[in-house]
Amino acid sequence: MSTRKDYLLGTTMVAGAAALSLTLLAPGSAFAQDANGQEAASTVDEVVVVGSRIRRDNFNAPSPTQVVTREEATLQGFASTTEALQSTAVTGGTAQINNSYGGYVTNGGPGANTIGLRGMGPSRTLVLLNGRRVSPAGSRGSVGSADLNVLPTAMIDRVEVLRDGASSVYGSDAVAGVVNIQTRKNFEGLIVEGQHNEPLDANGAGGSDRFSVVAGARGDRWRAAGSLELYNRDELTLRDREFTECQTDGRRPTAAGVSRDFIDPLTGKSKCYPITGTGSNGTSINTIGVSIDGGLDGDGNRIFSSVAGTPAAGAPNVLFNRFRPNSGVTGPMAGYEGVGGTGVNVNVRDTFDDRMLNRSLISPVEIATIYGEAGYQLNALGNAEVYGEFLVNSRKSSQTGYRQLALDYAKGSPLIPTDLAFSTFSGDQGLNKGQDIGVRAFIGFGNDHSRQEQLFNRNVVGIKGDFFIPEWRYDMSASYSRSRSEYTSEQFLTNRLVESLDVVETSPGQFQCRELASNPGCVAAPKLSTQVIGGVLPQAWVDYVFRPVTGVTIYEEKIVSLGIDGPLFDLPAGKVMGFFGAEWRDAEIDDTPGLDSQNSNTYNYSTSAITRGSDSVWEVFGEVEAPLLRDAPFARELTVNASFRYTDYDSYGDDTTYKVGLVYQPIDMLTFRATYGTSYRAPALFEQFVGATSGFQSASFDPCSEVDPATATPTLIANCAVDGVSPDFQQKSSVAVITQGGAEAGLAAETSTNMTVGLVLKPTLPEGWGDFAFAVDYYEIEVKNGVAQYGAANILERCYDSNTADFAADVGFCSLVTRDANDKTLTVQNGYVNLATDIVKGLDYTARYRKDVGPGTALFNLAITQYTEISNKLFAEDPLVEYKGRLNNPEFTGTADVSYAWDQWRVRYGVEWIQGTSDYAYRRQDPATSQFDLEVSDYYLHNASVQYTGEGWTVTAGVRNLWNEEPPTISSGYNNRVGNAPLYSGYDYLGRTAFVNLSKAF
């Protein structure tokens, strides 16, 4: 964020000062910064701060609120509002979706950045811009939250974060809290600003730049201001950071110090397996799969046990399921060495390809934003002002991935070498027109690319002025937002693969598609060879079968809102203030995937149907605040606040929420506060209407695969038999999972309760000792009938554990499961339903100390978030599962900083802390004996900066991650990883990063 000479809360508030920022200031005052960076008192008019719609002349509020100022964000080296909002100081250490999640399926699609408070996800956090909703944006069908990329960073004055439920004040989604972005008000002049962030240990990659211009002017009856900014972040790949260059299994050594990882004979070190995010080495490339008649010996010689009855004399009892090229092997499998399966060398798979290191660790993005606001005094309709805002945002993001290609060569195909003609790998899996597969080639295909182009537009018009009742005001506005996202991914097209594999040999070594006449342009697949297995493929064939598939997502939202506020009547302690309003909202989503995706023509990739639906709501709401006592014995202040909201949705009907709050100040130095209320979240449009989208789970999810009669229940054995599955069945195909909306099933809104109780202590210290303040708040949120999915694993488990009569009748959970009668593959229907319970409890601690030292002022801030419970359960009869302290769910996180300002200078040093976490207890493993490393230690990020303010200009320079702290490491198999580190937004993947920010005012 850029700096500004005067701003509401100035240097007194920092990104970590939760709750203090609105309770420690004297009524009717704030702080502003003069040209020399010093603080001076200034009068502030009545304002509305997030958490309430009532104008007030003080900053005492029952709900804990945090303020992030422009200057503090700049001093911390954040180049965008997105980075500041997703920091540990704001989110309390809970995981956020950022540009490190480009290769994962996330709501909003790749490139979207979201914020979720209290660990309850972005769908339960409401984002506002100047007190009005920021509409969802993103790509693909699951768009339901605001994309932080659309925010006008250059024009932002401050960010207010309410970490308390507020549905009765703001409506749906304000379950865990509200983030309100406030732009500069009444701005005059011109500011040009630029910032560059340069990672110093990333081969020159991953840097970011932001350039902006802010301008404003005023007249007797008019005002206008706006900004233009460009933001660019370069790609950071796995190759650019040392800790991601070689992803290993990361197993703990034995008691004797022997590594449990497979040691690469070429390097003497653990073998690199960076193909998957989870870190498993189970995926293989550069190998083939052939039939096994009893097995093969160590030299690759076939053992014809089906003919001879027993293995060849002296041959080892080895069953291989993969073979890699090896020119030294002779015999029936000449040129191929057995790897994988059971027996020896089972993990010797060539699963490393240098092109894997081209994958995006942080995906690149280009953002352009234009923002403007204006107002005109009518001198009529109660001294009314007509006002407007517009926001246009363009985002271009992309990701580089790595693809494996499992290419099936049909039995008898001339593309199979003679030495492999004996093989029958399996039945047709969809590429061979009903013919058996002779050989399956597991090819390391190489890099693929995805890209998104999003255009977001938001327009607001309104009128506000004095109401006809004295001291009352009105504000009526209408807004229209539209997001259009075009998303493209490169895909293998199934129909083209099928035709390219069906070939005839026109001359020795020359092939053409058999059905060339009906498929003009068809290019024959390459003959199976060691080069093909290694990923060296004819470009003409690649261009034919590997094609871009493009879809379009449009999200529109219309809002009309009216509110009036003013004094209701007088009490001895002051005026009773009220706010009353009504609002209408209408939203529509239309996601149209590419035709190949709709038609299930993307090979080994998810398919998607059209997502299309709308919903609208009428609401009436009100808020009353009454000062019951003031300046009384043991009651310097006693104020009660109450709000309510009646909601009527087209989709599920009506609902009512409420909230009550209390502020009690018995003596000057001590303030107590508390709130209790109800909240709700209407199902997002995608949760109601998302088109059937296919995904895949591992074959191991099939309950009937490799059933052990000694341990399996009789019910499971019987149900598998009903399915026609033999006891020795082994599932070789992935389990297809179909996700779909829950509108037809009567999906309803989530309901929740919220409670906060806190105190603020601000003792009067002896003169010269400085100022000290401390706040602690306890919070408790419980969501009932939460919108969730059963999950494929839960559906399969409950289906196959049901009694055999229900299983055979396909009722209950079994109605969601189908098994193909021929190839025995499974498909699971996994829609959105109301069933989950989520509970979050904890405490926020905040301390601030300020003292004049020498020629300047020293300021110390400390903020700690503690989670005492993070639990959920899917079914009512299930026990709550505790996640506190697990990987990516730290019990404690904190931020601390100390700064010193004098004359035109300010220096700052800050630390971000994430407590260590462990999965041993959750996984029921003994850390003393487990082969897995499932624990990470405490993580610290140090930041330092210096700022100098001259005549009309300011320069800020510093370093983030000063000591180049790398993320901790864990073993593969239990958690998504980046390299060997957990995938978690709280860890810094860039390494030591220098930044400089320069702004010039005219």
Side-chain angles (χ1 to χ4, degrees):
M1 294 183 178
S2 59
T3 59
R4 180 185 175 190
K5 286 186 178 179
D6 56 327
Y7 49 92
L8 181 62
L9 296 178
T11 59
T12 62
M13 296 302 107
V14 298
L20 284 174
S21 50
L22 298 184
T23 58
L24 298 181
L25 300 177
S29 68
F31 288 91
Q33 184 182 17
D34 62 24
N36 294 321
Q38 302 300 306
E39 292 175 355
S42 62
T43 300
V44 178
D45 293 332
E46 292 178 326
V47 296
V48 176
V49 179
V50 68
S52 172
R53 293 182 182 267
I54 292 177
R55 288 174 285 124
R56 63 185 74 221
D57 61 3
N58 66 77
F59 293 92
N60 291 321
S63 298
T65 305
Q66 173 182 0
V67 173
V68 182
T69 67
R70 299 181 54 78
E71 181 173 88
E72 285 300 329
T74 300
L75 282 166
Q76 292 180 71
F78 296 125
S80 67
T81 308
T82 299
E83 295 176 16
L85 287 176
Q86 292 183 331
S87 67
T88 297
V90 174
T91 63
T94 57
Q96 308 298 314
I97 300 300
N98 58 24
N99 289 328
S100 297
Y101 286 74
Y104 294 82
V105 178
T106 57
N107 292 343
N113 282 235
T114 56
I115 182 171
L117 300 176
R118 302 299 194 200
M120 304 203 80
S123 63
R124 293 170 179 162
T125 299
L126 180 62
V127 179
L128 308 174
L129 179 60
N130 292 326
R132 302 179 188 90
R133 289 172 172 263
V134 178
S135 298
S139 59
R140 304 185 184 275
S142 297
V143 175
S145 304
D147 181 7
L148 302 181
N149 291 303
V150 309
L151 298 175
T153 296
M155 197 64 183
I156 292 175
D157 180 67
R158 69 186 188 276
V159 177
E160 303 165 350
V161 182
L162 173 71
R163 295 202 273 189
D164 189 15
S167 287
S168 61
V169 179
Y170 297 107
S172 180
D173 305 342
V175 174
V178 181
V179 177
N180 183 34
I181 294 92
Q182 290 282 0
T183 58
R184 307 175 192 233
K185 301 302 179 187
N186 302 318
F187 180 79
E188 292 184 82
L190 176 68
I191 294 181
V192 178
E193 181 182 9
Q195 178 163 332
H196 176 68
N197 288 37
E198 179 70 21
L200 303 179
D201 298 272
N203 299 323
S208 63
D209 296 280
R210 184 174 65 84
F211 174 80
S212 66
V213 177
V214 178
R218 294 177 59 85
D220 291 339
R221 299 175 59 182
W222 61 274
R223 60 179 176 86
S227 62
L228 168 65
E229 62 185 292
L230 302 174
Y231 174 82
N232 178 77
R233 177 186 283 281
D234 296 332
E235 183 178 36
L236 185 75
T237 69
L238 298 182
R239 190 186 306 278
D240 297 321
R241 296 289 284 139
E242 183 177 350
F243 76 92
T244 57
E245 282 188 303
C246 181
Q247 177 174 296
T248 66
D249 285 327
R251 301 291 192 267
R252 299 173 68 184
T254 64
V258 179
S259 174
R260 285 188 171 99
D261 287 0
F262 176 72
I263 303 301
D264 191 325
L266 298 178
T267 65
K269 300 179 180 179
S270 295
K271 193 171 180 64
C272 299
Y273 299 102
I275 190 169
T276 62
T278 57
S280 171
N281 65 358
T283 302
S284 60
I285 60 171
N286 306 335
T287 61
I288 61 172
V290 300
S291 58
I292 308 174
D293 289 334
L296 298 106
D297 63 22
D299 294 325
N301 297 311
R302 297 171 63 207
I303 303 170
F304 295 99
S305 60
S306 59
V307 176
T310 58
N317 186 20
V318 179
L319 293 177
F320 297 113
N321 59 17
R322 300 286 189 274
F323 301 84
R324 66 180 179 184
N326 185 336
S327 59
V329 176
T330 60
M333 282 288 290
Y336 291 93
E337 170 191 16
V339 294
T342 62
V344 298
N345 293 337
V346 295
N347 287 322
V348 187
R349 297 185 182 178
D350 187 2
T351 59
F352 180 80
D353 182 329
D354 185 71
R355 294 171 296 179
M356 294 175 182
L357 299 181
N358 296 331
R359 290 169 53 200
S360 299
L361 174 55
I362 295 179
S363 58
V365 64
E366 296 178 5
I367 299 174
T369 307
I370 301 174
Y371 176 81
E373 57 184 40
Y376 182 77
Q377 296 287 340
L378 296 179
N379 291 339
L381 299 176
N383 298 315
E385 179 190 56
V386 177
Y387 61 88
E389 299 175 10
F390 74 91
L391 171 65
V392 178
N393 172 273
S394 170
R395 168 169 64 89
K396 296 181 179 180
S397 52
S398 62
Q399 299 79 36
T400 301
Y402 183 88
R403 291 288 289 271
Q404 177 197 31
L405 173 60
L407 196 61
D408 294 341
Y409 288 87
K411 177 79 171 180
S413 170
L415 298 176
I416 297 178
T418 303
D419 287 345
L420 299 176
F422 70 88
S423 173
T424 303
F425 181 75
S426 73
D428 180 27
Q429 299 294 309
L431 293 184
N432 303 119
K433 298 183 177 181
Q435 300 181 73
D436 289 341
I437 301 170
V439 178
R440 172 170 289 174
F442 297 92
I443 299 170
F445 175 76
N447 298 120
D448 65 307
H449 301 87
S450 300
R451 64 179 184 273
Q452 305 82 39
E453 295 187 11
Q454 175 176 287
L455 183 64
F456 178 83
N457 174 237
R458 179 178 185 265
N459 302 286
V460 178
V461 294
I463 182 172
K464 60 183 178 180
D466 297 329
F467 203 50
F468 64 87
I469 303 175
E471 297 186 69
W472 280 70
R473 301 179 189 177
Y474 70 90
D475 190 343
M476 183 171 64
S477 65
S479 67
Y480 172 76
S481 300
R482 184 178 191 268
S483 167
R484 184 185 189 277
S485 300
E486 187 174 286
Y487 55 97
T488 301
S489 60
E490 296 175 322
Q491 300 293 339
F492 295 103
L493 302 187
T494 304
N495 62 344
R496 294 196 175 195
L497 285 171
V498 169
E499 297 303 329
S500 73
L501 288 164
D502 183 17
V503 303
V504 294
E505 189 170 17
T506 57
S507 60
Q510 300 297 314
F511 308 93
Q512 74 174 31
C513 300
R514 186 185 304 274
E515 306 293 339
L516 185 60
S518 57
N519 295 280
C522 180
V523 178
K527 185 174 182 177
L528 183 62
S529 66
T530 57
Q531 277 197 316
V532 167
I533 297 169
V536 180
L537 303 166
Q539 190 60 46
W541 180 74
V542 171
D543 292 341
Y544 174 67
V545 299
F546 195 58
R547 306 293 300 167
V549 177
T550 299
V552 176
T553 306
I554 297 176
Y555 196 103
E556 295 180 299
E557 186 171 56
K558 299 181 281 290
I559 303 175
V560 178
S561 182
L562 170 65
I564 58 172
D565 71 287
L568 294 169
F569 52 87
D570 290 337
L571 292 176
K575 295 180 178 180
V576 176
M577 303 295 293
F579 177 93
F580 305 95
E583 188 168 275
W584 171 79
R585 299 193 302 274
D586 181 85
E588 299 179 28
I589 188 172
D590 187 336
D591 174 59
T592 306
L595 285 175
D596 289 300
S597 182
Q598 293 183 48
N599 297 331
S600 301
N601 195 39
T602 52
Y603 179 61
N604 277 352
Y605 200 81
S606 61
T607 61
S608 302
I610 292 174
T611 297
R612 189 170 293 152
S614 64
D615 201 1
S616 64
V617 58
W618 282 96
E619 297 179 304
V620 292
F621 44 89
E623 182 181 359
V624 176
E625 184 167 281
L628 303 181
L629 295 172
R630 189 174 300 277
D631 297 328
F634 300 105
R636 300 291 294 168
E637 177 189 353
L638 178 61
T639 301
V640 64
N641 179 283
S643 57
F644 72 94
R645 178 175 293 251
Y646 172 78
T647 298
D648 189 1
Y649 269 90
D650 283 352
S651 59
Y652 71 88
D654 58 359
D655 201 352
T656 302
T657 56
Y658 68 89
K659 183 178 180 179
V660 292
L662 186 72
V663 175
Y664 173 53
Q665 187 178 25
I667 56 178
D668 287 340
M669 63 178 288
L670 182 63
T671 300
F672 296 97
R673 62 182 172 206
T675 67
Y676 180 83
T678 59
S679 290
Y680 73 97
R681 183 179 74 87
L685 292 183
F686 78 87
E687 291 170 330
Q688 297 184 61
F689 304 112
V690 66
T693 303
S694 69
F696 300 93
Q697 297 281 11
S698 167
S700 62
F701 275 65
D702 188 339
C704 297
S705 179
E706 299 181 277
V707 173
D708 184 354
T711 58
T713 65
T715 299
L716 175 61
I717 295 174
N719 288 339
C720 291
V722 171
D723 260 0
V725 177
S726 61
D728 60 349
F729 171 72
Q730 181 180 6
Q731 181 64 266
K732 296 182 178 180
S733 300
S734 300
V735 176
V737 181
I738 309 298
T739 299
Q740 55 194 6
E744 294 183 0
L747 191 65
E750 300 177 344
T751 58
S752 62
T753 56
N754 301 264
M755 182 181 71
T756 62
V757 179
L759 67 84
V760 178
L761 180 66
K762 188 182 179 185
T764 300
L765 302 180
E767 185 176 354
W769 285 33
D771 299 315
F772 173 75
F774 172 79
V776 59
D777 288 279
Y778 171 79
Y779 55 87
E780 186 175 302
I781 304 173
E782 181 174 355
V783 177
K784 298 179 180 179
N785 57 282
V787 175
Q789 297 168 282
Y790 289 120
N794 283 312
I795 293 172
L796 289 169
E797 178 183 356
R798 290 181 176 247
C799 170
Y800 281 86
D801 280 348
S802 60
N803 67 70
T804 304
D806 289 342
F807 182 87
D810 284 337
V811 297
F813 283 94
C814 292
S815 66
L816 305 175
V817 180
T818 58
R819 187 184 293 274
D820 186 274
N822 297 316
D823 60 22
K824 305 304 180 183
T825 57
L826 279 176
T827 301
V828 180
Q829 304 292 326
N830 187 30
Y832 286 95
V833 291
N834 292 100
L835 73 163
T837 297
D838 294 275
I839 298 175
V840 176
K841 300 177 183 179
L843 298 108
D844 290 323
Y845 310 89
T846 309
R848 182 190 70 187
Y849 179 69
R850 181 206 315 277
K851 188 179 186 302
D852 292 335
V853 180
T857 301
L859 176 65
F860 171 76
N861 290 280
L862 173 69
I864 295 176
T865 293
Q866 177 188 7
Y867 292 95
T868 59
E869 181 178 349
I870 307 173
S871 62
N872 67 33
K873 60 180 179 179
L874 198 60
F875 300 98
E877 65 272 20
D878 290 344
L880 286 167
V881 178
E882 177 64 70
Y883 288 86
K884 178 196 67 182
R886 285 192 56 197
L887 293 175
N888 298 0
N889 291 276
E891 179 180 356
F892 284 94
T893 60
T895 60
D897 70 85
V898 59
S899 62
Y900 185 70
W902 79 101
D903 294 331
Q904 297 166 291
W905 292 89
R906 184 179 180 188
V907 295
R908 177 188 181 277
Y909 192 95
V911 180
E912 300 173 20
W913 166 58
I914 300 172
Q915 187 190 36
T917 55
S918 172
D919 259 12
Y920 283 119
Y922 177 78
R923 303 290 179 184
R924 296 185 177 89
Q925 296 191 28
D926 184 352
T929 58
S930 174
Q931 66 172 304
F932 296 98
D933 183 2
L934 303 176
E935 188 172 62
V936 299
S937 59
D938 288 12
Y939 183 76
Y940 297 91
L941 284 180
H942 298 257
N943 312 301
S945 60
V946 59
Q947 185 177 82
Y948 180 81
T949 302
E951 188 62 36
W953 60 275
T954 301
V955 61
T956 307
V959 178
R960 287 190 57 77
N961 195 355
L962 186 63
W963 308 117
N964 198 26
E965 184 76 12
E966 290 188 348
T969 61
I970 57 173
S971 296
S972 65
Y974 284 111
N975 196 83
N976 287 327
R977 300 194 304 168
V978 174
N980 298 303
L983 176 63
Y984 174 52
S985 61
Y987 298 141
D988 177 46
Y989 300 143
L990 287 167
R992 183 185 293 112
T993 301
F995 64 89
V996 59
N997 178 288
L998 177 63
S999 65
K1000 171 64 176 174
F1002 298 91

